[in-house]
């Protein structure tokens, strides 16, 4: 297929591009900055010449229509995250209006008989809080209160509305992580902080994680026709906060102290954060964020596992490869990585980008 990818210079986008190229697709990337794209793809063993660069912007519907012309596939994974109130307008512009522009162009192309499959990367936050012991792809759209989650829920509504006009598959990742992260996003930063400070938060519950290589493999499976559902939870693994702490200890050989805080106290702090935010100040912990930390549940990812034909990458392998890459990229010192730094070269990311591409395809 000829596939247009938005957000190709981000963590999900660059891994997806590498996996789609490995699967034999012709890939074009909607981009404003070829330099960022070249750097992101280079870490995965891809060259800028491997893709067609379609100059455009999410805020320019005409440039999107030009980029999509003649292409029978679309992967929309461009998005923006920020907790800063000053970024509220930019979040809405990228996550909501950008999604409307991209998927609107996809619907018009599908009605014209050109586009055969579009994939929209949503988020579990669009469906949070859970209605039961697992989060499902057919759960209703949530009504969140935090700035970022509001934009993801609104984008989700747009995608669901446009499914009536176009063959759109919506994918719901959990907390996405993995090696070769060009943005060094919040998840890896939290891991790096825990390793440097030798401590981490331990509260009730845990978090579901999606390894970006599994997510890229799922995207390939969707374009190959191995997913027929309109919505699919991404492959994932669920880790309690205490298990996460023990895992970091096991991987590094360092003692990681638990910073224990009851769930009720986390949520109370989140309520206070909401009040402070309404007063016009930036906060790191809202009530909604506290709920995500303490009341998340596993994802019902059976459809994704069937499409992959294998189990998702394990928590141990995912965090091991992430730490190895962070050492390689200079985000974590060998001393902070402990035994991981001493044993690098044994597996995963330490073997190089070529293995990441093969595991993603």
């Amino acid at each position: 297929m000829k596939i247009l990818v938005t957000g190709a210079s981000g963590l999900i986008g660059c891994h997806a591009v590498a996996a789609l190229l490995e699967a034999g697709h012709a890939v074009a990337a909607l981009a404003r900055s070829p330099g960022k794209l070249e750097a992101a793809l280079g870490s995965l063993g891809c060259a800028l010449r491997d893709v067609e660069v379609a100059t455009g912007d999410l805020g320019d519907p005409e440039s999107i229509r030009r980029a999509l012309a003649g292409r029978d596939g679309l992967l929309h994974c461009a998005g923006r995250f920020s907790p800063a109130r000053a970024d509220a307008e930019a979040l809405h512009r990228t996550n909501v209006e950008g999604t409307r522009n991209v998927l609107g162009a996809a619907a018009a192309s599908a009605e014209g008989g050109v586009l055969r499959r579009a994939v929209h990367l949503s988020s579990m936050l669009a469906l949070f809080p859970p209605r039961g012991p697992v989060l499902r792809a057919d759960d209703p759209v949530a009504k969140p209160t935090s700035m970022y989650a509001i934009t993801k829920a609104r984008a989700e509504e747009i995608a669901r509305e446009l499914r009536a006009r176009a063959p759109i598959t919506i994918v719901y990742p959990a907390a996405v992580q993995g090696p070769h992260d060009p943005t060094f996003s919040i998840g890896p930063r939290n891991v790096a902080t825990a390793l440097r400070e030798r401590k981490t938060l331990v509260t009730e519950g845990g978090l579901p994680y999606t390894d970006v290589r599994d997510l890229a493999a799922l995207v390939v499976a969707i374009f190959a026709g191995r997913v027929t559902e309109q919505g699919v939870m991404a492959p994932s693994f669920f880790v309690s906060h205490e298990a996460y702490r023990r895992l970091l200890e096991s991987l590094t050989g360092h003692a990681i102290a638990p910073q224990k805080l009851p769930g009720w106290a986390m949520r109370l702090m989140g309520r206070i954060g909401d009040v402070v935010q309404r007063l016009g100040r930036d906060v790191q912990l809202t009530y909604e964020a506290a709920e995500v930390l303490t009341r998340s549940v596993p994802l019902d990812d059976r459809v994704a596992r069937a499409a992959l034909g294998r189990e998702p990458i394990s928590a141990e392998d995912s965090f091991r490869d992430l730490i190895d890459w962070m050492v390689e990229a200079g985000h974590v010192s060998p001393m902070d990585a402990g035994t991981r730094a001493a044993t690098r070269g044994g597996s995963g990311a330490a073997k190089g980008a070529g293995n990441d591409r093969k595991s993603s395809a």
Side-chain angles (χ1 to χ4, degrees), residues 295-308:
R295 289 178 171 165
S296 286
V297 296
L299 309 189
D300 181 3
D301 62 355
R302 289 173 294 177
V303 171
R305 291 174 185 237
L308 296 185

Side-chain angles (χ1 to χ4, degrees), residues 134-335:
V134 295
L135 205 58
R136 305 182 189 279
D138 58 358
D139 283 348
V141 182
K143 297 189 181 300
T145 57
S146 70
M147 185 173 63
Y148 171 73
I150 287 172
T151 67
K152 297 305 291 185
R154 183 63 191 118
E156 174 70 15
E157 290 172 342
I158 292 168
R160 291 191 179 193
E161 290 167 4
L162 288 172
R163 283 194 306 203
R165 297 174 50 199
I168 299 172
T169 302
I170 304 175
V171 178
Y172 304 91
V176 181
Q177 68 170 36
H180 304 292
D181 182 348
T183 62
F184 194 46
S185 45
I186 187 168
R189 290 203 306 269
N190 287 340
V191 174
T193 298
L195 297 187
R196 283 194 295 266
E197 298 182 356
R198 310 283 170 87
K199 62 184 180 182
T200 188
L201 171 71
V202 173
T203 185
E204 72 178 77
L207 289 173
Y209 295 85
T210 293
D211 190 290
V212 70
R213 295 164 293 181
D214 280 340
L215 186 53
L218 176 61
V219 167
V220 171
I222 293 172
F223 282 113
R226 298 202 298 272
V227 174
T228 57
E229 287 79 359
Q230 289 186 312
V232 54
M233 286 291 175
S236 62
F237 53 85
F238 188 89
V239 182
S240 73
H241 297 297
E242 170 58 21
Y244 166 80
R245 184 194 68 80
R246 293 197 305 267
L247 181 57
L248 294 186
E249 283 193 334
S250 172
L251 289 171
T252 64
H254 291 313
I256 306 295
Q259 302 295 108
K260 294 185 177 181
L261 191 65
W264 65 264
M266 285 284 297
R267 294 187 289 274
L268 177 60
M269 290 169 62
R271 292 291 193 196
I272 295 171
D274 285 352
V275 173
V276 173
Q277 192 175 63
R278 284 195 291 271
L279 294 175
R281 296 177 59 186
D282 288 335
V283 298
Q284 293 299 315
L285 184 67
T286 63
Y287 179 74
E288 197 164 71
E291 277 207 308
V292 170
L293 285 169
T294 60
R295 289 178 171 165
S296 286
V297 296
L299 309 189
D300 181 3
D301 62 355
R302 289 173 294 177
V303 171
R305 291 174 185 237
L308 296 185
R310 61 168 173 78
E311 289 296 298
I313 294 170
S314 69
E316 181 176 0
D317 287 347
S318 184
F319 279 100
R320 177 201 65 208
D321 290 354
L322 175 61
I323 294 171
D324 284 353
W325 168 75
M326 288 197 296
V327 173
E328 182 181 283
H331 296 301
V332 169
S333 72
M335 180 179 295

Side-chain angles (χ1 to χ4, degrees), residues 87-156:
D87 291 333
E89 184 178 342
L91 284 171
H92 180 83
R93 189 166 56 247
T94 299
N95 298 344
V96 180
E97 296 306 322
T99 295
R100 190 191 311 279
N101 292 337
V102 171
L103 296 186
S109 178
E111 290 169 338
V114 179
L115 189 87
R116 293 192 288 129
R117 174 60 53 197
V119 179
H120 169 61
L121 266 294
S122 183
S123 167
M124 72 172 197
L125 292 181
L127 311 179
F128 195 89
R131 274 72 177 173
V134 295
L135 205 58
R136 305 182 189 279
D138 58 358
D139 283 348
V141 182
K143 297 189 181 300
T145 57
S146 70
M147 185 173 63
Y148 171 73
I150 287 172
T151 67
K152 297 305 291 185
R154 183 63 191 118
E156 174 70 15

